[in-house]
Amino acid sequence: MLIKHPTDIKSHEITEPSVYRDRRRFLQATSGAALAFAAGASGLLMPTEAAAGRKLDYRRNPQLSTDESPNSLKDITRYNNFYEFGTSKEDPAKSAHTLQTEPWTVRVEGEMEKPADYHLEDLIKSSQLEERIYRLRCVEAWSMVIPWVGIPLADLIKQFKPTSRAKFVEFTTLYDPEQMPGQRRAVLDWPYVEGLRMDEAMHPLTMLAVGLYGEVLPNQNGAPIRLVVPWKYGFKSIKSIVKIRFTETMPKTTWALAGPSEYGFYANVNPTLDHPRWSQAKERRIGEFLKRKTLMFNGYADEVAGLYAGMDLRRNF
Ligand SMILES: Nc1nc2c(c(=O)[nH]1)N[C@H]1C(S)=C(S)[C@@H](COP(=O)(O)O)O[C@H]1N2
Ligand SMILES: [Mo]
């Protein structure tokens, strides 16, 4: 991302609408089934069992979903940014199988009542899973539409009871060069860190995703739990989270450290503010030929513009 310009689309990335329609029908038939994480909690699953692809029990949230057609499962799982598994878009799909996602523990600490380690299944069980179809706009000027399954981050934060000193939330990805071979190269300052202001983290659109297309997240998409913040550039949506920390001061985030003039803390999608090396005015929807205009806050301005009232977005980029 730091070094490359928007990459060109390859033929295998073209969306196949027929595949998508079949998938929808399949999901309608199965989405009521209570499966997946309940089984994990009862101890029936061996730690080595591949989790990706297990069906999730969730309810749709059409109010918070775009009615644009989602990209194909193929696009979403074969064109990824996940530098822990390599810097090219094809690397994560090839290499992320070495990540062990069960069992998985998330450390929650910092400015809060009772710092603790949480089993992933317990975090998931504490809230109703929802499907929300969101646009994802990468800072590299491509975009996708993805049907996530996850939990509102606000639900969890309320349970964690942060103190009044908590102004930001910091997220950290697993650091384990054995499982994440990309971490053996110093392309970024590992582990990957991201952060949100508390009001951004509490916004109803912000979610922690544990699935997509109705099934447990594929490793390359950030299994077993990743952030999704649809009005910000894709790099804010940190994958494979092992730590959530409430802080008083603004977290030092990986991309802002790597290139402070190119990537800011806020990283709100903004077509009027170009990246120093390329325009942000347009984007290529993966699977489409012609570019489309990028929308302010990735099209979520009605919902989120108020968070930044009175702020200079050219300075706070
Ligand atoms: N840990 C980690 N999280 C990450 C990244 C990464 O390299 N490492 N890449 C980011 C970028 S640049 C994008 S665009 C999105 C891509 O998410 P997707 O592959 O699920 O579409 O993940 C983000 N989260
Ligand atoms: Mo990105």
Side-chain angles (χ1 to χ4, degrees):
M1 185 168 88
L2 188 66
I3 28 181
K4 280 191 236 152
H5 288 265
T7 37
D8 277 316
I9 188 85
K10 301 200 180 73
S11 58
H12 74 263
E13 288 150 5
I14 307 291
T15 314
E16 293 144 72
S18 62
V19 172
Y20 173 63
R21 276 194 303 275
D22 285 351
R23 209 148 173 98
R24 287 304 272 196
R25 237 176 275 131
F26 172 72
L27 287 175
Q28 271 150 18
T30 55
S31 63
L35 283 166
F37 280 101
S42 68
L44 293 171
L45 294 162
M46 303 307 286
T48 51
E49 187 171 334
R54 275 207 316 267
K55 304 243 171 348
L56 291 166
D57 185 22
Y58 60 91
R59 93 179 152 214
R60 295 229 154 84
N61 187 331
Q63 285 78 34
L64 292 183
S65 294
T66 170
D67 49 23
E68 292 174 277
S69 297
N71 279 87
S72 67
L73 184 67
K74 203 170 162 183
D75 288 342
I76 297 169
T77 58
R78 297 199 195 172
Y79 189 87
N80 301 100
N81 269 334
F82 200 171
Y83 277 25
E84 284 83 342
F85 297 101
T87 52
S88 87
K89 300 285 178 286
E90 297 77 26
D91 287 339
K94 283 188 220 142
S95 307
H97 60 270
T98 53
L99 176 66
Q100 291 283 320
T101 59
E102 283 183 355
W104 193 270
T105 308
V106 180
R107 173 79 188 159
V108 188
E109 60 181 32
E111 297 291 350
M112 63 184 290
E113 258 179 32
K114 285 198 194 95
D117 293 323
Y118 288 85
H119 294 300
L120 180 69
E121 306 90 70
D122 295 332
L123 291 182
I124 292 168
K125 271 187 293 180
S126 70
S127 185
Q128 161 81 59
L129 286 179
E130 281 189 6
E131 182 191 66
R132 297 163 175 200
I133 306 172
Y134 283 167
R135 287 179 290 275
L136 176 138
R137 168 58 159 83
C138 180
V139 73
E140 297 165 298
W142 53 264
S143 65
M144 283 200 223
V145 175
I146 302 179
W148 299 110
V149 177
I151 41 186
L153 178 58
D155 285 5
L156 288 182
I157 291 181
K158 281 177 206 149
Q159 297 174 48
F160 297 148
K161 300 199 172 67
T163 69
S164 59
R165 278 196 298 274
K167 302 288 187 298
F168 297 89
V169 193
E170 179 189 272
F171 304 86
T172 307
T173 294
L174 176 70
Y175 178 72
D176 184 346
E178 293 287 313
Q179 296 184 55
M180 297 178 143
Q183 291 176 332
R184 292 177 206 158
R185 293 173 51 212
V187 286
L188 288 174
D189 191 2
W190 310 113
Y192 196 104
V193 171
E194 259 310 333
L196 295 173
R197 213 169 57 190
M198 191 59 100
D199 58 344
E200 298 176 324
M202 293 295 290
H203 192 279
L205 282 171
T206 305
M207 74 192 293
L208 285 173
V210 296
L212 62 84
Y213 267 119
E215 299 177 355
V216 169
L217 278 179
N219 286 358
Q220 59 266 38
N221 293 91
I225 186 160
R226 59 90 56 86
L227 187 65
V228 178
V229 195
W231 70 93
K232 293 178 182 281
Y233 291 120
F235 69 86
K236 295 297 287 184
S237 292
I238 180 171
K239 297 176 169 181
S240 307
I241 297 166
V242 292
K243 191 162 76 180
I244 299 176
R245 183 177 176 80
F246 296 101
T247 66
E248 198 166 6
T249 53
M250 186 179 278
K252 293 193 180 5
T253 56
T254 297
W255 282 106
L257 283 171
S261 62
E262 307 194 6
Y263 312 102
F265 175 81
Y266 286 96
N268 292 315
V269 174
N270 186 348
T272 71
L273 184 63
D274 289 339
H275 183 279
R277 293 184 281 129
W278 59 82
S279 165
Q280 295 292 19
K282 289 184 178 175
E283 68 202 50
R284 186 202 304 280
R285 177 68 48 86
I286 298 299
E288 290 179 359
F289 181 66
L290 295 173
K291 289 193 175 167
R292 45 172 83 208
K293 279 187 179 160
T294 288
L295 302 172
M296 190 62 200
F297 296 114
N298 201 22
Y300 299 94
D302 287 350
E303 291 90 341
V304 302
L307 295 174
Y308 310 102
M311 265 177 70
D312 179 355
L313 296 178
R314 304 191 75 80
R315 223 158 52 88
N316 299 290
F317 58 93

